[in-house]
Amino acid sequence: MPVQFVINGIAAGAAIALVAMGFGLIYTTTRVFHMAHGAVYLAGGYVAYACIDTLGLGAPTAVCCAIIASALLGVTIERCFYRPLRQKQAPAVVVLLCSLGLLVAIQNLIALAFGNQTLMLRESGQDAVFDVLGGRITLPQVIIVGVSIVVALAMWAGLRLTTTGRIIRAVASDPDLANAVGLPRDRALLIVAAAGSAVAGLAGVLVGYEQDLTPMMGFHGLLLGIVAAIIGGAGSVGGTLLGGFLVGLAMHLGVWKLPTQWQQAIVFIVLIVFLLTRPQGILGKRTRTATI
Amino acid sequence: MDYALHILIFVGIYAILAVSLDLIVGHGGFLSIAHGAFFGLGAYASALMAVQLGAPFLVGILCGMAVAAIVSLLVSLPSLRLHGDFFVVASFGFQIIAFSIFNNWMELTRGPLGIPGIPQPEVLGWQVDSNVEFVVLVTVIATMTYLVVWRITTSPFGRVLHAIREDEVVAKAMGKNTLRFKVTVFAVSAALAASAGGLYAHYITYIDPTSFTIMESILIISMVIIGGAGRLWGPLIGAIVLVTLPELLRFVGLPSSMAASVRQIVYGVLLVVMMMLRPRGLVGTYAFGR
């Protein structure tokens, strides 16, 4: 039944889009290929788990804790690793490798603390289910799709309509010039790290709530998010949201005809097709001029 | 004693992987995180040749190298036109697709069940069945790999490669077809990695997809970066450090469920520390500058 695959694809795509929007915001502004974003996303889910399971807090408190903890982690990474590297004018590859090292280290620290097994954020059981055009959509899926659209609107409005947003866009287009004309570059980068990481943490909680948590989720979520950001056009919030849905749909419509285990391969084949034919993404303007 | 020899064999296999990756990373100047896939291709090709067709060791290894070189073209021809970060993502993508194939193409690779009963190597009538003999075999092949890499990097071909690494536009302006150079070096590197895969398969005598994951690729790139890119013995030092260091953890007596995570944490932290303090690696000459 294709309708069901479309619904599952959109729900999965919404979660991917949340990771992608945070990644895209940080990537376009700080120009760091922020692999550690996957660790921040993972941390969100596990902080929520620790709050609920270990500390016995209620769900709303747990979500707030997770978002704050993720934002703090993102800010710490920006402040303690990316900023010193930027001051040394380290080449992009060095920053990327540093970020990759952070991802591997943090993901495994979490695996060490919580174990490699699958954890549930809630009792598995009956969710409210709605019928849509002959398919079924669960309440958690509705929440994820709703949150992703709200976050996209908020991010768009924040970047377009506020003064801070204008400063962030100025820094994104030319960090040195922004600095030279007296804009608070370093503060803008910290705000971007906090906002992008908060969204990633929220995504971690929602995915943990809709499905479950495993440490490998960090890597997988990150890769899908990067793919969505590239396909959508990393500079555009709407494009990234669209990219997320497209990745989710590709995964789930692929499963309609192929065995599930090929999902990841399908995503990366879509990516490679995009990289070759339209590297700037669906809605992206031409990316930074090729730095040959 | 056998344990020490076992470590030595692994150092040799990883030295081949790291020095071949250094051709791309240190000499060509573009970052690829897909070496685990070529390692796996070599392992699967030579294992299947030996188990299914009863082919001799050397034939299997050469077949593996040929397969890896041909497959590398599928990756490099489209994706080497991309720049910087995008190429890294494409290589990640290839690594994940390759793992999917190892893990899911049941008819050929037997998926997660793996391929058992790979015979120990016999080279021109010499039956290699003890660890001592295997150390000799690995050393011979590693030395040959080093000679190949040394020959390439000191040749006119290598000088063009270095020119591309330093400034691709200038190399193009000099009339060099830079894409052709990059594609060639990528194929050579993939073939050398595949030879390490063949050695690995015939040493362990059993392979399954978990040996060729994205973590394996990250481990190999860490060896190159931590040892030092762009210098012949940099990757060797990286391989020695990253193979022996986690073995020390064994003596601390961690339970095996934790040991894997702790090992990964060591790789991750080392990578971060090196990038913050000494991006050129322990003995490297190239620090990814423009």
Side-chain angles (χ1 to χ4, degrees):
Chain A
M1 188 169 45
V3 178
Q4 192 59 50
F5 291 110
V6 172
I7 291 174
N8 291 345
I10 286 176
I16 295 169
L18 280 173
V19 179
M21 285 188 279
F23 176 84
L25 179 66
I26 294 173
Y27 178 57
T28 46
T29 318
T30 67
R31 303 194 176 180
V32 171
F33 202 80
H34 183 38
M35 307 279 290
H37 197 61
V40 174
Y41 160 70
L42 191 63
Y46 275 90
V47 167
Y49 177 82
C51 285
I52 293 172
D53 193 75
T54 317
L55 304 176
L57 299 173
T61 335
V63 175
C64 292
C65 285
I67 291 175
I68 293 169
S70 303
L72 281 177
L73 181 59
V75 167
T76 312
I77 291 172
E78 158 66 26
R79 181 67 191 80
C80 299
F81 297 96
Y82 299 160
R83 190 188 287 181
L85 286 174
R86 193 174 300 125
Q87 279 160 356
K88 273 193 271 186
Q89 301 192 318
V93 173
V94 169
V95 189
L96 186 153
L97 286 167
C98 173
S99 193
L100 179 64
L102 285 171
L103 169 62
V104 172
I106 297 174
Q107 176 171 316
N108 283 287
L109 273 175
I110 289 175
L112 206 58
F114 291 88
N116 270 311
Q117 74 278 23
T118 306
L119 297 177
M120 306 291 266
L121 261 188
R122 56 181 175 138
E123 320 274 299
S124 60
Q126 304 78 20
D127 293 313
V129 174
F130 309 99
D131 284 332
V132 184
L133 301 169
R136 293 149 50 82
I137 185 163
T138 63
L139 184 61
Q141 288 180 324
V142 175
I143 295 176
I144 289 195
V145 176
V147 167
S148 73
I149 292 171
V150 170
V151 167
L153 285 174
M155 202 180 264
W156 180 84
L159 282 173
R160 289 284 147 186
L161 307 179
T162 67
T163 316
T164 317
R166 221 165 57 225
I167 294 173
I168 289 172
R169 284 187 290 132
V171 172
S173 93
D174 193 331
D176 292 329
L177 185 61
N179 202 33
V181 299
L183 293 176
R185 180 188 63 178
D186 286 342
R187 212 176 70 212
L189 295 182
L190 282 180
I191 292 171
V192 161
S197 303
V199 174
L202 182 59
V205 179
L206 288 173
V207 169
Y209 175 65
E210 205 249 324
Q211 297 160 18
D212 43 41
L213 293 168
T214 65
M216 269 319 278
M217 200 177 101
F219 233 111
H220 292 161
L222 171 78
L223 289 176
L224 295 178
I226 292 177
V227 173
I230 292 177
I231 289 180
S236 140
V237 176
T240 307
L241 185 66
L242 214 62
F245 287 135
L246 205 74
V247 170
L249 284 172
M251 282 168 72
H252 283 267
L253 287 175
V255 169
W256 183 24
K257 295 285 180 201
L258 285 169
T260 10
Q261 58 266 34
W262 294 103
Q263 269 188 342
Q264 282 199 323
I266 296 169
V267 171
F268 279 93
I269 290 167
V270 172
L271 169 74
I272 287 173
V273 170
F274 259 91
L275 282 179
L276 294 178
T277 54
R278 200 176 161 82
Q280 73 271 39
I282 306 172
L283 292 189
K285 296 183 194 65
R286 274 194 55 207
T287 35
R288 278 182 278 146
T289 31
T291 47
I292 335 175
Chain B
M1 185 58 194
D2 237 23
Y3 174 63
L5 291 175
H6 172 78
I7 304 283
L8 215 54
I9 292 166
F10 265 91
V11 168
I13 290 175
Y14 278 107
I16 297 174
L17 288 168
V19 80
S20 63
L21 181 59
D22 191 37
L23 263 183
I24 305 179
V25 176
H27 298 283
F30 46 103
L31 196 63
S32 161
I33 311 198
H35 230 49
F38 294 115
F39 179 43
L41 269 176
Y44 269 101
S46 67
L48 286 169
M49 288 291 285
V51 173
Q52 304 278 351
L53 306 174
F57 173 72
L58 282 181
V59 175
I61 280 214
L62 289 174
C63 274
M65 293 171 76
V67 169
I70 291 165
V71 172
S72 84
L73 297 181
L74 294 179
V75 188
S76 61
L77 276 175
S79 50
L80 273 176
R81 296 170 196 276
L82 304 167
H83 288 283
D85 301 339
F86 283 179
F87 179 76
V88 179
V89 177
S91 75
F92 254 123
F94 170 68
Q95 164 70 49
I96 283 178
I97 293 170
F99 177 78
S100 285
I101 291 172
F102 297 149
N103 206 31
N104 300 325
W105 191 354
M106 295 300 287
E107 297 79 15
L108 188 67
T109 65
R110 294 178 18 102
L113 300 175
I115 299 173
I118 303 163
Q120 290 183 310
E122 192 195 318
V123 187
L124 309 171
W126 170 39
Q127 178 65 44
V128 182
D129 48 14
S130 71
N131 274 4
V132 181
E133 286 172 297
F134 215 97
V135 169
V136 176
L137 178 64
V138 169
T139 314
V140 169
I141 295 187
T143 312
M144 279 161 58
T145 310
Y146 269 78
L147 285 175
V148 169
V149 173
W150 174 77
R151 183 75 187 84
I152 289 176
T153 52
T154 52
S155 68
F157 180 91
R159 278 200 300 279
V160 176
L161 207 57
H162 290 161
I164 295 173
R165 176 185 84 185
E166 298 303 330
D167 195 330
E168 194 168 345
V169 176
V170 169
K172 272 190 176 148
M174 296 297 192
K176 300 295 178 190
N177 181 348
T178 57
L179 183 66
R180 212 191 80 215
F181 278 86
K182 293 201 285 186
V183 167
T184 313
V185 79
F186 200 78
V188 172
S189 169
L192 293 175
S195 75
L199 276 173
Y200 174 83
H202 287 271
Y203 172 59
I204 304 289
T205 69
Y206 167 79
I207 52 171
D208 72 353
T210 56
S211 313
F212 313 111
T213 58
I214 203 157
M215 285 330 239
E216 194 68 17
S217 287
I218 292 176
L219 171 61
I220 303 169
I221 190 89
S222 307
M223 287 173 174
V224 176
I225 305 294
I226 288 166
R231 192 169 211 184
L232 216 43
W233 53 82
L236 175 64
I237 289 176
I240 294 172
V241 170
L242 286 190
V243 170
T244 51
L245 202 63
E247 293 298 328
L248 298 178
L249 294 172
R250 208 181 282 262
F251 298 108
V252 184
L254 281 171
S256 63
S257 59
M258 291 166 78
S261 292
V262 172
R263 207 160 51 216
Q264 305 281 358
I265 293 173
V266 171
Y267 302 152
V269 170
L270 272 179
L271 206 50
V272 174
V273 169
M274 290 309 278
M275 288 302 105
M276 298 298 291
L277 302 178
R278 200 177 157 80
R280 60 169 49 186
L282 292 170
V283 299
T285 53
Y286 171 56
F288 309 101
R290 274 142 289 133

